[in-house]
């Protein structure tokens, strides 16, 4: 993505080349199609809020969840390539508590476990590698295809997900998940 800034409260800056060099584009709201602004994205600066980047237009393809900070190359946001074609912004979650229930079968069937904290290995905690449905009650979460927060990412906001396709996955395999927390804000509030 190229740098994005529109000098509003919420924005991200997408740069055509690594380390914030070259052409840039500033974005302050959701965009279903970024193709006309740049052909590839190699660095991003997020100034506020959470951003979910998508590999394809219309919020399709690989998802990348970014919090406030600088990402000088696409590997820093765990990108598979430099293709970013759409993005969405979400305000910071300030509720404090995080709760999510995961289920071994579609439509909230089978064994259920409730989580309020990060989970680096779904198998170690749940004894299954597959999550077929989930209910996010509080907070934003990111699910990962592999353990230890690796692989494809899926942004989860509060709501019911009756099937894995509801969160954009092509299979039910989930290796880990964690809460989406703005680390800068978290560190500041922890010190005070």
């Amino acid at each position: 993505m190229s740098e994005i800034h529109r000098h509003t409260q919420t924005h991200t800056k997408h740069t055509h080349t690594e380390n914030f060099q070259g052409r840039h584009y500033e974005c302050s709201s959701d965009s279903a199609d970024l193709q006309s602004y740049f052909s590839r994205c190699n660095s991003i600066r997020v100034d506020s809020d959470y951003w979910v980047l998508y590999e394809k237009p219309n919020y399709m393809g690989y998802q990348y969840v970014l919090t406030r900070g600088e990402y000088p190359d696409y590997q820093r946001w765990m990108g598979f390539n430099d293709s970013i074609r759409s993005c969405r912004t979400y305000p910071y979650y300030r509720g404090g508590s995080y709760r999510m229930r995961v289920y071994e079968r579609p439509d909230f069937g089978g064994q259920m476990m409730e989580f309020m904290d990060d989970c680096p290995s779904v198998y170690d905690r749940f004894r299954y590698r597959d999550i077929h449905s989930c209910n996010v009650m509080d907070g934003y979460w990111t699910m990962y295809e592999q353990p230890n927060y690796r692989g494809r990412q899926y942004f989860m906001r509060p709501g019911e997900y009756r099937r894995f396709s509801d969160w954009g996955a092509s299979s039910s395999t989930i290796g880990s998940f964690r809460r989406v927390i703005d680390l800068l804000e978290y560190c500041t509030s922890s010190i005070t």
Side-chain angles (χ1 to χ4, degrees), residues 106-108 131-134 160-168:
D107 294 314
F108 314 113
I131 295 176
H132 285 269
S133 55
C134 92
E160 294 184 346
Y161 301 84
R162 297 186 167 278
R163 290 176 171 58
F164 58 82
S165 58
D166 291 348
W167 62 76

Side-chain angles (χ1 to χ4, degrees), residues 9-188:
Q9 200 169 8
T10 301
H11 59 277
T12 184
K13 199 173 195 180
H14 305 264
T15 308
H16 183 71
T17 60
E18 291 181 1
N19 295 314
F20 312 102
Q21 302 297 310
R23 290 186 2 240
H24 71 275
Y25 174 73
E26 298 179 15
C27 186
S28 61
S29 61
D30 296 357
S31 181
D33 191 356
L34 295 168
Q35 292 183 111
S36 62
Y37 302 110
F38 48 85
S39 59
R40 58 184 196 190
C41 177
N42 282 296
S43 57
I44 297 176
R45 180 175 294 122
V46 177
D47 292 326
S48 61
D49 290 347
Y50 303 125
W51 287 82
V52 181
L53 313 177
Y54 298 84
E55 174 193 34
K56 297 180 180 177
N58 299 312
Y59 317 112
M60 303 294 289
Y62 291 126
Q63 300 176 27
Y64 308 109
V65 181
L66 278 62
T67 59
R68 186 174 17 186
E70 292 188 351
Y71 303 85
D73 58 63
Y74 68 84
Q75 289 92 359
R76 297 289 174 97
W77 66 78
M78 295 182 4
F80 290 99
N81 56 51
D82 63 2
S83 178
I84 299 297
R85 297 291 182 254
S86 54
C87 63
R88 282 193 168 138
T89 182
Y90 295 91
Y92 289 130
Y93 173 69
R94 300 186 193 285
S97 66
Y98 288 76
R99 281 186 23 202
M100 177 172 64
R101 290 182 181 159
V102 297
Y103 299 83
E104 70 172 320
R105 302 206 189 287
D107 294 314
F108 314 113
Q111 183 181 350
M112 180 275 294
M113 285 193 73
E114 184 170 306
F115 291 89
M116 293 180 278
D117 209 347
D118 300 350
C119 178
S121 175
V122 169
Y123 184 78
D124 289 349
R125 298 264 306 268
F126 195 52
R127 294 293 174 228
Y128 292 93
R129 297 191 194 285
D130 297 323
I131 295 176
H132 285 269
S133 55
C134 92
N135 184 2
V136 176
M137 282 93 64
D138 295 304
Y140 298 137
W141 298 77
T142 304
M143 288 191 174
Y144 297 84
E145 196 172 47
Q146 299 170 16
N148 298 313
Y149 318 115
R150 309 288 300 164
R152 286 188 79 157
Q153 302 173 36
Y154 306 102
F155 181 70
M156 310 293 287
R157 59 186 178 176
E160 294 184 346
Y161 301 84
R162 297 186 167 278
R163 290 176 171 58
F164 58 82
S165 58
D166 291 348
W167 62 76
S170 57
S171 81
S172 59
T173 301
I174 298 295
S176 55
F177 52 82
R178 66 177 155 196
R179 300 160 297 154
V180 178
I181 298 173
D182 178 40
L183 294 177
L184 292 174
E185 186 171 304
Y186 176 77
C187 291
T188 303

